Amino acid sequence: MASISGGAVELKRSQAVPVRSSLWRQAMLRLRKNKLAMSGLGFIIFMFLICFIGPLFSPYADGKIDTANMYSAPSWEHWLGTDLLGRDMMTRLLQAGRISLTVGFASMCISVLIGSILGAIAGYYRGIVDQVIMRVADLLLTIPSLPILFILGALLSEWKVPTEYRMYIVMLMLSFVGWPGLARLVRSQMLSVREREFMQAATVLGLDDRRKLFHHMLPNIIPLLIVVATLNIGGSILYESVLSFFGLGVMPPTPTWGNMIDSANNLIDFEQHPWLWIPPGAAIFTTVIAINIFGDGLRDVLDPKQKK
Amino acid sequence: MTEALLEVNHLKTYFPITSGLFNRTVGHVKAVDDISITLKEGEAFGLVGESGSGKSTVGKTIVRLADKTSGEVKFKGIDLHQLSEKELRKLRPKLQLIFQDPYSSLNPRVRVGDAIGEALINHGLATKAEARELVLEVMDACGLSTYHYDRFPHEFSGGQRQRIGIARALVLNPDLIIADEPVSALDVSIQAQIINLFRKLQVSRGLTYLFISHDLSVVEHLCTRIGVMYLGTMMETASRDELFRNPLHPYTKALLSAVPVPIPKKKRKDQKERIVLSGDIPNPANPPSGCKFHTRCPFATDICREQLPVFRHAGGDHYIACHLA
Ligand SMILES: Nc1ncnc2c1ncn2[C@@H]1O[C@H](COP(=O)(O)OP(=O)(O)OP(=O)(O)O)[C@@H](O)[C@H]1O
Ligand SMILES: [Mg+2]
């Protein structure tokens, strides 16, 4: 019997890739070739590094008020000028970045955790459990996120939550609006994967439920979950800055990019002190774009059928 | 007489058709509507029928991927549809199904070697190291190479994937293999390779096959007995030689006259005059009254339109459901 059609092609490829290269490794190789996604990733890493390390080298890290230096324009001493209390804008921008990035990242983690556990339970057990979880999720999804966040934010102010805790509560708020979408995604993926024929094949082989769930279903869901989670960080950063801009999120003196823009929320500052709002605005804009570009690149790269 | 390995008695599988807001059942697709098959150890039974006649559903109902509506499926005397999930799971390695579609029946995220060997480990039939040995052995028997072990399904051609599906079933050393059109997705030269593989394995491992195909010429090479089904119902079963020499059912005759002859000029001895079927296979949700084949049968009479023919003995090992023959 002739051995295998296309054997030569297979051989050639076997020399090109390491023998037991996992799908993840292959995806990372493809990712490295995707210049746009890599520059997105590079920018995100850069942003994290300067926000978390940069302030350590700043002489203004204590955020002391300097009444002699209010509203000074960018200069050698203050690269991005100073604000209405004479604090160094550059240092504040990076400190704000710490908060904004942390809130975005942490709230994504919480909503992915809640969303995928609930979604997986709903999709795996179906029946009444599914009904209860998904009706709650649907209910939350029918109300647009921003109004919910505004109401929750207003309640926080009403209850006089201390400002140092608000950052954590904002994280929880963002997770609260984030989990239903993820739960629905995971559930629908579970339902669609379990209908695929390879799941029937797993049944015929007599594999147990654990094997089916962890080796056949989840590996087909996780790549998409990673993409959506990545894009979710960008969304959370945006929501956080909108909330903080309206004074409903993280409050000064804790800086975030959103409440920094808010502090330039009048015509005089807007026109005469552009260094107060352009840098935080640009920081939000570029970070969110970089995250979205990276997320899209991941989406392209995580499909195992993709060759390049 | 030794007990049959597989006994399918008057099997029916209806799929409900639901509609409207409350998913009311408004009818049934009678995908399998009275099928009986008896399969002895070492035998190869060919189940033939047009596309949509319910062949895959027969296979899936036997291995309980679909629920039966009535009838029974006995494997080694055990009624499979009466077993609990747990008991069935234990039995599954002995009863394997090779899927029709070699693309969708392999998980894109599982390495080929793992896909073939995982059931061995999961059932505690082998340790990891033993499984690896067994998998490599069976891959070799199926014409796959050692270096394919760590590859993912998307790196294979259709024919190679079909071999993976075959290897996945074989490694469990099953008593019965149901092969659902294992070659129909492949081009002709590869079809022959796979058929030869099946035949070789039948000899070397004494396998029992239920071989499903829409093509009589495919089962001719492999099967000792053949059943012809139409619209979910068995029309005729006989040994291969009897069926080819002396087909009784008009539908079988029509199918046989459509089998291509290797050298057209030299008419095959058993070649009957050509019967061309007009029209399409009717909708299984609304099958014709009486004999299901009457709408396309050139010999149909009143009784065919009114009365359902019983599946009766017609001498020797020949069974038929027809009023006229
Ligand atoms: N899960 C299902 N739900 C509803 N109808 C179904 C289902 N599976 C099959 N059917 C219907 O049952 C009939 C028989 O389908 P089946 O797949 O068994 O045919 P087949 O003989 O295998 O055809 P082919 O040669 O094309 O594979 C078809 O009309 C099909 O639409
Ligand atoms: Mg089929």
Side-chain angles (χ1 to χ4, degrees):
Chain A
M1 181 180 293
S3 63
I4 316 105
S5 55
V9 181
E10 290 296 330
L11 254 178
K12 223 184 283 158
R13 208 181 294 148
S14 80
Q15 290 156 354
V17 252
V19 177
R20 203 182 162 93
S21 75
S22 72
L23 285 184
W24 294 109
R25 182 114 45 85
Q26 291 178 19
M28 288 311 115
L29 284 177
R30 269 177 265 138
L31 184 64
R32 257 191 255 158
K33 289 196 199 120
N34 184 334
K35 297 229 168 58
L36 200 60
M38 285 312 282
S39 48
L41 178 63
F43 187 82
I44 297 165
I45 293 173
F46 168 76
M47 213 53 175
F48 265 91
L49 287 181
I50 61 161
C51 288
F52 283 86
I53 296 175
L56 303 180
F57 298 101
S58 161
Y60 311 107
D62 52 3
K64 242 204 213 104
I65 294 169
D66 182 0
T67 39
N69 254 327
M70 294 188 312
Y71 289 128
S72 56
S75 64
W76 269 116
E77 283 77 49
H78 300 285
W79 292 355
L80 292 175
T82 60
D83 66 1
L84 77 165
L85 297 174
R87 293 171 298 193
D88 180 57
M89 276 299 289
M90 183 72 195
T91 309
R92 256 183 98 66
L93 184 74
L94 299 183
Q95 287 167 336
R98 285 182 182 177
I99 308 290
S100 289
L101 292 172
T102 307
V103 168
F105 197 79
S107 71
M108 176 278 285
C109 290
I110 301 171
S111 38
V112 164
L113 204 68
I114 301 175
S116 50
I117 289 174
L118 289 180
I121 289 174
Y124 196 74
Y125 290 106
R126 296 188 283 185
I128 185 80
V129 191
D130 180 23
Q131 288 290 324
V132 172
I133 294 174
M134 290 325 289
R135 288 305 81 77
V136 174
D138 282 344
L139 187 76
L140 289 174
L141 281 171
T142 51
I143 317 168
S145 309
L146 264 184
I148 303 188
L149 291 175
F150 279 7
I151 292 166
L152 290 175
L155 281 176
L156 287 189
S157 306
E158 191 71 14
W159 292 335
K160 308 235 163 25
V161 174
T163 43
E164 62 266 35
Y165 293 134
R166 284 196 72 132
M167 169 180 158
Y168 302 104
I169 292 176
V170 168
M171 279 179 203
L172 292 179
M173 280 161 56
L174 292 173
S175 318
F176 180 72
V177 298
W179 77 264
L182 284 156
R184 167 179 267 192
L185 174 89
V186 170
R187 171 184 176 270
S188 69
Q189 286 294 307
M190 293 281 281
L191 291 183
S192 92
V193 169
R194 75 182 303 151
E195 292 308 316
R196 306 258 299 267
E197 201 163 61
F198 61 74
M199 290 308 296
Q200 294 192 352
T203 302
V204 171
L205 291 171
L207 302 184
D208 57 26
D209 284 356
R210 244 183 80 144
R211 181 91 193 164
K212 283 196 208 167
L213 180 64
F214 289 103
H215 284 256
H216 290 275
M217 298 181 80
L218 290 186
N220 278 286
I221 296 173
I222 285 169
L224 184 60
L225 191 63
I226 290 176
V227 172
V228 175
T230 307
L231 296 174
N232 186 295
I233 302 178
S236 294
I237 290 176
L238 271 185
Y239 275 141
E240 180 274 318
S241 49
V242 171
L243 274 184
S244 302
F245 175 78
F246 284 105
L248 298 167
V250 182
M251 306 268 250
T254 314
T256 77
W257 289 335
N259 68 28
M260 283 177 77
I261 300 180
D262 181 35
S263 64
N265 182 16
N266 59 70
L267 202 59
I268 300 170
D269 281 341
F270 184 79
E271 283 181 345
Q272 293 175 9
H273 310 126
W275 60 86
L276 291 185
W277 58 270
I278 289 179
I284 295 170
F285 180 76
T286 49
T287 306
V288 172
I289 289 217
I291 289 172
N292 287 353
I293 287 175
F294 177 62
D296 281 339
L298 270 184
R299 190 199 305 273
D300 293 341
V301 139
L302 284 175
D303 179 358
K305 281 181 219 80
Q306 280 238 320
K307 287 278 154 59
K308 275 244 164 148
Chain B
M1 196 179 114
T2 53
E3 200 171 9
L5 182 66
L6 177 75
E7 214 183 316
V8 178
N9 289 321
H10 302 289
L11 186 69
K12 298 186 181 181
T13 308
Y14 296 174
F15 295 111
I17 307 168
T18 57
S19 97
L21 192 56
F22 301 104
N23 281 332
R24 238 163 11 96
T25 302
V26 295
H28 292 278
V29 178
K30 300 182 175 178
V32 176
D33 198 11
D34 202 348
I35 292 285
S36 300
I37 297 168
T38 310
L39 208 65
K40 292 202 207 71
E41 205 146 320
E43 212 177 17
F45 186 96
L47 184 63
V48 180
E50 280 173 272
S51 182
S53 56
K55 305 179 297 293
S56 296
T57 311
V58 172
K60 288 189 173 172
T61 313
I62 291 174
V63 299
R64 225 171 105 180
L65 283 177
D67 286 326
K68 65 167 189 185
T69 305
S70 67
E72 63 178 2
V73 178
K74 278 188 170 170
F75 177 67
K76 297 179 170 178
I78 305 165
D79 189 335
L80 293 180
H81 285 252
Q82 301 288 328
L83 292 180
S84 71
E85 289 288 343
K86 221 170 124 193
E87 293 166 321
L88 181 62
R89 196 176 94 75
K90 278 210 201 101
L91 202 65
R92 283 203 182 276
K94 291 288 151 210
L95 171 70
Q96 283 300 302
L97 175 75
I98 296 167
F99 284 80
Q100 181 168 4
D101 183 348
Y103 290 88
S104 60
S105 55
L106 290 172
N107 188 337
R109 298 201 156 263
V110 177
R111 287 170 204 283
V112 165
D114 295 340
I116 298 172
E118 64 178 337
L120 282 174
I121 299 164
N122 201 240
H123 282 282
L125 298 173
T127 64
K128 271 202 172 122
E130 289 164 354
R132 195 183 162 91
E133 284 308 305
L134 287 167
V135 168
L136 287 171
E137 209 172 286
V138 99
M139 281 174 72
D140 184 52
C142 293
L144 295 160
S145 306
T146 315
Y147 67 85
H148 288 142
Y149 190 96
D150 288 315
R151 297 298 176 80
F152 289 93
H154 71 266
E155 299 173 69
F156 291 85
S157 68
Q160 289 174 315
R161 283 164 182 244
Q162 200 58 267
R163 290 165 194 266
I164 298 167
I166 295 168
R168 177 168 68 175
L170 278 179
V171 79
L172 290 167
N173 204 7
D175 295 324
L176 172 67
I177 287 190
I178 301 173
D180 188 357
E181 306 209 36
V183 296
S184 66
L186 312 174
D187 61 48
V188 182
S189 61
I190 304 192
Q191 277 190 8
Q193 287 177 18
I194 302 273
I195 296 278
N196 285 337
L197 172 62
F198 271 101
R199 200 152 47 172
K200 208 170 76 187
L201 294 167
Q202 187 183 21
V203 176
S204 63
R205 299 205 179 202
L207 285 172
T208 309
Y209 289 123
L210 176 60
F211 196 96
I212 296 173
S213 175
H214 62 263
D215 189 348
L216 269 171
S217 60
V218 168
V219 296
E220 185 182 357
H221 295 290
L222 197 66
C223 300
T224 44
R225 287 200 320 128
I226 293 173
V228 177
M229 68 185 283
Y230 181 79
L231 218 55
T233 309
M234 194 69 95
M235 292 291 163
E236 182 167 12
T237 60
S239 69
R240 172 189 55 196
D241 298 335
E242 169 76 6
L243 193 90
F244 276 89
R245 205 181 319 118
N246 180 29
L248 296 177
H249 201 287
Y251 181 57
T252 314
K253 289 179 186 168
L255 287 183
L256 277 175
S257 72
V259 173
V261 190
I263 307 157
K265 265 184 257 156
K266 198 177 97 191
K267 259 208 166 184
R268 207 148 114 168
K269 272 201 307 291
D270 50 16
Q271 183 83 356
K272 304 290 184 308
E273 84 265 37
R274 204 175 160 84
I275 301 173
V276 179
L277 289 182
S278 56
D280 277 333
I281 189 166
N283 180 355
N286 185 20
S289 63
C291 173
K292 286 184 171 176
F293 185 55
H294 83 250
T295 52
R296 296 168 78 192
C297 181
F299 313 111
T301 60
D302 283 345
I303 185 169
C304 302
R305 282 181 267 276
E306 282 149 22
Q307 269 185 39
L308 184 71
V310 286
F311 192 63
R312 63 190 164 83
H313 195 198
D317 59 357
H318 213 137
Y319 292 82
I320 181 176
C322 179
H323 292 298
L324 305 173

